[in-house]
Amino acid sequence: MDILESVKMATTTLLANKLRSSLTMLGIIIGNASVISMIGIGEGAQTLAIKQFSSLGPNTLFIVPGSPGSRGRVTTMPRTLVLQDAQAIAKQVRAVKEVAPEINNRSTINYRNKSTTSTVIGTTPNYTTVRSFEIEEGRFFNDFDIKRNKRVAVLAPDLATKLFDNQNPVGQKIRIQNTTFQVIGLTVAKGSSFGNNSDDTVFIPINTMFSRLVGRTSPFGINVSLISVSAQDENSISAAEFQMTNLLRRRHKIVREDDFTIQSQKNILEISNTITSGLTLMLAAIASISLFVGGIGIMNIMLVSVTERTQEIGLRKAIGATQQDILLQFMIEAVILSVAGGVIGIALGGGSIILVGIFTPLQATISPSAVILAASVSGGIGLFFGVVPARRAAQLDPMVALRTA
């Protein structure tokens, strides 16, 4: 008996029991769909992370207060960075192009009878270039506004919509913690980054933030929440980090552990990719359990099939079929069930990824490697779990089979 004939017979046998064959494939279908979906969503999460980090600004480094260890142990933000640190970096670190210190605070913002709570960022004019913000209407504040402690504000689009609906906010006056500010600009929508909505923010001059809203909090200068730094170019990032570390250690008279942390986009992205890759692998491994369960289901049904077809096996062996013929017959049936379930599962997984891409911000993609892996595993499961039933069928004695049928 050739292989083509065996495939025809196996297909005919499986189609004769459509419901049982469909239920047998269910575990394989669910397993393949889950694996394809989880891997696709994981890759989509990595793509989203790369996109969000890119939106923070090119060649950007972030200096945050507190050492890496202390930031993990405490619940409040350490106060170890001051405005004078940012000014020293801008003057003394040659590998740095621009510096933008900032003070962050959550405050109540009012316009007439409308009120909302949003993030207020006190910063410098360099913020737009360091963090890649664009102005849609009006302007950003300048050095003159900083020196004169002008009460001017630039709104992000989501906050502008909350307060002004569809009106142009430029030229209007708002109140932040009972202090009046004139809106001079509106930023272009930038989106959210890791839970922080950059579009629900108001920007004001850092000196005004200090003098009007937060007050003096350090005997060494004006405390800042973050210092954003742009390096001269991509090749200067390591040099900028090294030079800033040495400068801040001298300024803070540090002997042992640093009281600040410098983070680059590359480092943060590597950490993010490690986390998302680990989660993707874990989810894919969990989803693969259903493939194993599906394989057991195939083996169980094939064993039942051997019992039901004892007379058929006896007749075939009595008229000359060899053990290899019987073994091949049942192995092909198991592989057909696995491969068919795999194809259906891959199609369902691909469809779920398309839906995720439509209804969520994740740019989930159908990974060719995941498709190849799922198809290979499905075929392998059919071979592996089909061996026991096939061997049992092949080893039946024809006389015993005919007599007990």
Side-chain angles (χ1 to χ4, degrees):
M1 181 184 296
D2 58 17
I3 295 179
L4 183 60
E5 185 66 24
S6 297
V7 171
K8 290 181 179 179
M9 291 185 63
T11 304
T12 302
T13 301
L14 294 175
L15 291 177
N17 297 279
K18 295 182 180 64
L19 180 59
R20 187 168 70 178
S21 299
S22 300
L23 293 175
T24 304
M25 292 188 297
L26 191 58
I28 301 295
I29 293 172
I30 295 173
N32 277 275
S34 301
V35 170
I36 296 294
S37 300
M38 293 301 100
I39 294 178
I41 291 172
E43 292 183 352
Q46 290 182 335
T47 302
L48 180 62
I50 294 172
K51 182 179 178 182
Q52 289 184 334
F53 277 119
S54 298
S55 68
L56 296 177
N59 308 323
T60 306
L61 297 100
F62 305 96
I63 309 173
V64 294
S67 64
S70 66
R71 287 176 61 83
R73 293 192 299 266
V74 300
T75 56
T76 57
M77 181 70 71
R79 298 180 181 274
T80 56
L81 291 179
V82 293
L83 180 60
Q84 288 73 11
D85 290 329
Q87 295 170 343
I89 291 172
K91 292 179 181 179
Q92 301 180 36
V93 179
R94 295 183 178 181
V96 166
K97 185 177 181 180
E98 290 183 310
V99 180
E102 60 184 84
I103 304 173
N104 300 334
N105 193 29
R106 294 286 293 180
S107 300
T108 301
I109 304 170
N110 300 283
Y111 172 70
R112 295 181 180 175
N113 62 340
K114 294 184 179 180
S115 177
T116 184
T117 300
S118 183
T119 301
V120 181
I121 296 181
T123 186
T124 61
N126 292 337
Y127 188 88
T128 54
T129 53
V130 175
R131 298 293 293 271
S132 298
F133 272 81
E134 298 180 5
I135 301 300
E136 183 174 350
E137 295 283 347
R139 66 177 180 88
F140 207 74
F141 43 82
N142 52 34
D143 291 329
F144 179 79
D145 298 321
I146 296 286
K147 293 177 182 178
R148 297 294 299 271
N149 289 343
K150 300 282 285 185
R151 289 177 293 173
V152 293
V154 177
L155 300 182
D158 286 357
L159 179 59
T161 302
K162 290 180 182 178
L163 295 176
F164 297 94
D165 295 326
N166 296 322
Q167 300 178 22
N168 187 350
V170 177
Q172 302 295 328
K173 292 184 178 181
I174 61 174
R175 294 184 65 82
I176 305 175
Q177 290 186 0
N178 297 321
T179 300
T180 302
F181 288 79
Q182 183 177 15
V183 179
I184 61 172
L186 177 68
T187 64
V188 174
K190 194 174 178 68
S192 299
S193 297
F194 306 96
N196 298 320
N197 186 5
S198 300
D199 295 336
D200 188 18
T201 307
V202 56
F203 304 95
I204 64 174
I206 192 168
N207 286 2
T208 308
M209 178 82 168
F210 153 70
S211 61
R212 295 283 183 175
L213 300 184
V214 298
R216 192 177 186 86
T217 55
S218 170
F220 304 104
I222 302 173
N223 282 116
V224 295
S225 308
L226 172 71
I227 301 176
S228 301
V229 177
S230 63
Q232 293 287 353
D233 51 48
E234 187 176 352
N235 297 326
S236 303
I237 292 177
S238 298
E241 185 174 353
F242 177 77
Q243 293 170 19
M244 289 189 298
T245 299
N246 290 337
L247 175 62
L248 291 176
R249 285 181 65 87
R250 289 199 309 270
R251 286 183 53 82
H252 296 185
K253 298 179 173 59
I254 294 173
V255 178
R256 296 182 180 177
E257 188 179 32
D258 293 341
D259 62 359
F260 59 90
T261 303
I262 300 178
Q263 300 173 334
S264 66
Q265 284 195 59
K266 181 179 179 181
N267 294 337
I268 300 173
L269 186 58
E270 288 176 352
I271 295 172
S272 175
N273 284 339
T274 300
I275 294 173
T276 54
S277 297
L279 290 174
T280 300
L281 182 61
M282 181 188 70
L283 292 173
I286 294 173
S288 299
I289 294 175
S290 58
L291 285 174
F292 181 76
V293 174
I296 294 176
I298 289 176
M299 182 172 63
N300 183 47
I301 293 300
M302 293 304 296
L303 286 172
V304 173
S305 180
V306 170
T307 303
E308 291 179 345
R309 296 160 62 187
T310 301
Q311 185 177 19
E312 174 194 334
I313 295 169
L315 287 173
R316 291 182 60 191
K317 296 190 75 172
I319 60 176
T322 64
Q323 286 192 1
Q324 287 76 16
D325 293 333
I326 304 299
L327 181 67
L328 181 63
Q329 173 75 30
F330 281 87
M331 290 287 288
I332 289 176
E333 290 182 17
V335 170
I336 289 176
L337 287 173
S338 296
V339 172
V343 171
I344 297 173
I346 290 171
L348 291 176
S352 66
I353 288 176
I354 293 173
L355 292 176
V356 168
I358 294 174
F359 294 105
T360 71
L362 289 178
Q363 298 178 358
T365 57
I366 301 174
S367 172
S369 59
V371 172
I372 294 173
L373 176 63
S376 302
V377 170
S378 297
I381 283 176
L383 287 173
F384 181 78
F385 287 98
V387 167
V388 173
R391 284 177 58 86
R392 180 174 177 180
Q395 291 173 355
L396 282 176
D397 182 270
M399 298 302 295
V400 175
L402 290 171
R403 187 168 57 249
T404 58

